[in-house]
């Protein structure tokens, strides 16, 4: 993907995370158990962190830092698996989705490590 695509993806996913956070704070309070509400908020919080990570990928790609696309793909994968599974777990009651969540967490971790490696290897 081009740096513009990473930027658009990050910005749109950040917007969705803010909307999800607002929905959780205002629309779900009293409808979900406190534990499920905290889980939903965790999903939105991690989504925004990694949407910002995608924006960092865009900025680094625009500057010619090689290897950042791998981090971007892992951030996207992590958002889908981690945040997505937690949204489904809390909103649809699909408790088995909790088994998928750790795979998203691993994608996040590896994505940050690859971003660090790309930055370390970059020689302007």
């Amino acid at each position: 993907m081009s740096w513009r695509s990473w930027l658009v993806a990050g910005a749109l996913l950040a917007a969705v995370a803010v909307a999800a956070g607002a929905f959780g704070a205002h629309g779900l309070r009293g409808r979900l158990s406190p534990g499920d509400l905290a889980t939903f908020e965790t999903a939105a919080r991690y989504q925004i962190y990694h949407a910002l990570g995608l924006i960092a990928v865009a900025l680094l790609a625009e500057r010619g830092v090689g290897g950042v696309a791998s981090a971007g793909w892992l951030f996207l994968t992590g958002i889908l698996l981690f945040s997505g599974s937690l949204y489904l777990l809390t909103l649809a009651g699909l408790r088995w989705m909790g088994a998928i969540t750790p795979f998203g967490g691993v994608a996040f971790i590896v994505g940050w490590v690859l971003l660090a490696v790309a930055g370390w290897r970059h020689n302007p």
Side-chain angles (χ1 to χ4, degrees), residues 15-115:
V16 170
V18 171
F23 177 63
H26 302 290
L28 295 178
R29 197 167 306 275
R31 293 184 174 181
L32 293 179
S33 71
D36 280 349
L37 188 58
T39 299
F40 188 90
E41 290 171 350
T42 297
R45 186 172 57 253
Y46 274 69
Q47 181 175 335
I48 195 120
Y49 294 158
H50 293 88
L52 293 171
L54 288 172
I55 292 169
V57 165
L59 296 173
L60 292 169
E62 193 272 333
R63 291 179 174 263
V65 177
V68 294
S70 297
W73 285 113
L74 285 164
F75 292 161
L76 280 174
T77 300
I79 289 170
L80 290 172
L81 295 179
F82 185 90
S83 296
S85 67
L86 293 180
Y87 291 140
L88 288 171
L89 185 148
T90 57
L91 295 176
L94 301 174
R95 296 288 174 204
W96 62 269
M97 293 298 290
I100 294 172
T101 308
F103 294 105
V106 169
F108 286 153
I109 293 165
V110 175
W112 287 112
V113 169
L114 290 181
L115 192 64

